[in-house]
């Protein structure tokens, strides 16, 4: 839709050379945006599969797919450290524990979706769709090539700041302490 | 890749949709494992919404993401421990049992 509106608003008096130059400028961006929209669609569809699946085991698997897709969006923007963090911690460690829990407590599949909750979900989704449509239409007509920013994240710049290192160390210590406490609680005598 | 309005919009819509579906899963869940799954979906939505921050304050955004990853993983770890403890005590993991226990 973005490309079509852009072409529709181009003045016809433009010289062919400048016109093709504009096309070359916009096409790579639109391919990236299409890829982003495809990833976002996969994330939403797999989360819908979590909602509508009766079996917790498959829901946990679809949840892992959703989180990996979210991490892939970060990779698409060139922020690989966050991709590694989400993929290892959420889809890896906690995702596997969740799948194992779902497999351990696997019961007869039973629907866990309440039809009444569909009403507020549909209302909110309608609001979102309407305002996003208005926003995209306005943007495509008024400022078709407006870019709000470029991501220039470098892990080296982040690691060069000692305050961030202290933050990471403190959070690692918190995690280790919590894991030790959890192990002590779970490994204790059963009541 | 540049972040323009279309991509920002796609990111925020996906984030809201994931959060909404996470809420729907949590509110309609009948057992604690599904509650855990819904929490992870909500955290996925939070990580998605942090992404546009990287265009203006990239280092701070990465710090926020690290804090988010650590705290949410610790929270999920505590919930997993609570599920195991709950099963040991009540011999089931149904959310209806949580309501009855809270009423007492």
């Amino acid at each position: 839709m973005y490309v079509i509106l852009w072409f529709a608003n181009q003045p016809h008096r433009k010289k062919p050379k400048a016109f093709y130059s504009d096309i070359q400028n916009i096409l790579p961006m639109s391919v990236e945006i299409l890829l982003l929209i495809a990833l976002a669609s996969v994330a939403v569809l797999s989360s819908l599969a979590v909602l509508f699946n009766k079996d917790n085991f498959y829901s946990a698997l679809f949840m892992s797919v959703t989180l990996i897709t979210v991490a892939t969006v970060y990779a698409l923007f060139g922020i690989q450290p966050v991709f590694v963090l989400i993929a290892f911690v959420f889809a890896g460690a906690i995702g596997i524990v969740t799948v194992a829990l779902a497999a351990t407590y696997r019961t007869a599949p039973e629907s866990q979706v309440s039809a009444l909750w569909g009403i507020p979900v549909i209302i909110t989704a309608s609001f979102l769709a309407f305002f996003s449509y208005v926003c995209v239409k306005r943007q495509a007509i008024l400022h078709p090539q407006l870019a709000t920013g470029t991501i220039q994240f470098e892990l080296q710049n982040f690691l060069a700041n000692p305050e961030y290192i202290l933050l990471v160390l403190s959070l690692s210590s918190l995690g280790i302490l919590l894991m030790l406490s959890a192990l002590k609680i779970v490994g204790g005598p059963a009541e | 890749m540049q972040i323009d309005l279309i991509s920002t919009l796609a990111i925020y819509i996906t984030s809201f949709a994931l959060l909404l579906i996470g809420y729907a899963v949590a509110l309609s869940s009948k057992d604690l494992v599904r509650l855990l799954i819904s929490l992870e979906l909500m955290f996925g939505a939070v990580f998605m919404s942090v992404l546009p921050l990287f265009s203006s304050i990239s280092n701070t955004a990465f710090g926020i993401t690290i804090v988010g990853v650590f705290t949410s993983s610790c929270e999920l770890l505590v919930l997993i421990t609570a599920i195991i403890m709950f099963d040991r005590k009540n011999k089931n993991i149904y959310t209806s049992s949580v309501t009855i226990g809270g009423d007492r």
Side-chain angles (χ1 to χ4, degrees):
Chain A
M1 189 182 74
Y2 178 51
V3 178
I4 292 169
L5 283 172
W6 183 83
F7 277 118
N9 287 290
Q10 287 304 303
H12 296 292
R13 61 181 181 274
K14 214 171 210 177
K15 289 178 182 177
K17 195 175 177 183
F19 181 72
Y20 289 121
S21 170
D22 285 350
I23 290 176
Q24 283 173 351
N25 286 337
I26 199 169
L27 271 181
M29 181 60 74
S30 63
V31 168
E32 287 170 342
I33 287 173
L34 282 176
L35 193 57
L36 173 68
I37 290 170
L39 283 172
S41 308
V42 171
V44 173
L45 285 176
S46 54
S47 62
L48 279 174
V50 171
L51 178 64
F52 290 114
N53 211 305
K54 292 179 181 177
D55 198 336
N56 280 344
F57 178 69
Y58 291 109
S59 292
L61 289 178
F62 280 120
M63 181 269 302
S64 296
V65 172
T66 308
L67 287 174
I68 286 175
T69 315
V70 169
T72 312
V73 172
Y74 273 94
L76 180 67
F77 281 96
I79 315 170
Q80 281 84 7
V82 180
F83 171 81
V84 172
L85 269 177
I86 296 177
F88 279 15
V89 175
F90 277 86
I94 295 177
I96 286 175
V97 172
T98 308
V99 170
L101 264 181
T104 307
Y105 293 110
R106 205 170 181 184
T107 52
E110 182 186 358
S111 178
Q112 300 199 12
V113 180
S114 172
L116 283 177
W117 287 111
I119 298 168
V121 168
I122 289 170
I123 291 172
T124 315
S126 308
F127 270 110
L128 273 177
F130 174 71
F131 285 114
S132 56
Y133 171 73
V134 169
C135 196
V136 168
K137 194 176 175 184
R138 185 181 166 81
Q139 169 72 13
I141 291 171
L142 294 180
H143 309 287
Q145 286 182 322
L146 180 69
T148 55
T150 309
I151 293 178
Q152 291 176 334
F153 175 70
E154 292 289 337
L155 190 60
Q156 296 296 329
N157 296 339
F158 181 82
L159 293 177
N161 195 339
E163 290 177 358
Y164 289 126
I165 301 287
L166 185 66
L167 171 78
V168 172
L169 285 176
S170 309
L171 287 169
S172 306
S173 312
L174 171 74
I176 291 168
L177 280 174
L178 264 172
M179 282 178 211
L180 287 174
S181 307
L183 279 175
K184 192 178 176 185
I185 291 171
V186 174
E191 292 179 15
Chain B
M1 180 179 176
Q2 281 192 332
I3 286 198
D4 58 356
L5 186 84
I6 308 288
S7 52
T8 310
L9 209 59
I11 289 166
Y12 279 132
I13 287 174
T14 313
S15 171
F16 278 122
L18 288 181
L19 193 66
L20 209 63
I21 294 167
Y23 277 135
V25 175
L27 290 170
S28 60
S29 65
K30 291 178 183 170
D31 56 55
L32 293 176
V33 174
R34 192 161 278 246
L35 202 64
L36 175 69
I37 292 169
S38 72
L39 270 180
E40 292 192 36
L41 274 183
M42 291 179 204
F43 285 131
V46 169
F47 292 135
M48 196 87 177
S49 65
V50 172
L51 208 157
L53 274 183
F54 278 86
S55 64
S56 52
I57 40 170
S58 57
N59 280 342
T60 312
F62 190 64
I64 290 170
T65 311
I66 285 183
V67 171
V69 167
F70 271 91
T71 48
S72 53
S73 57
C74 288
E75 193 176 330
L76 293 172
L77 180 76
V78 169
L79 181 59
I80 289 167
T81 312
I83 290 173
I84 295 170
M85 297 299 294
F86 187 85
D87 179 51
R88 278 188 185 173
K89 192 171 183 179
N90 295 324
K91 307 296 178 198
N92 67 62
I93 53 165
Y94 296 117
T95 48
S96 55
S97 306
V98 180
T99 308
I100 292 167
D103 288 343
R104 285 175 195 165

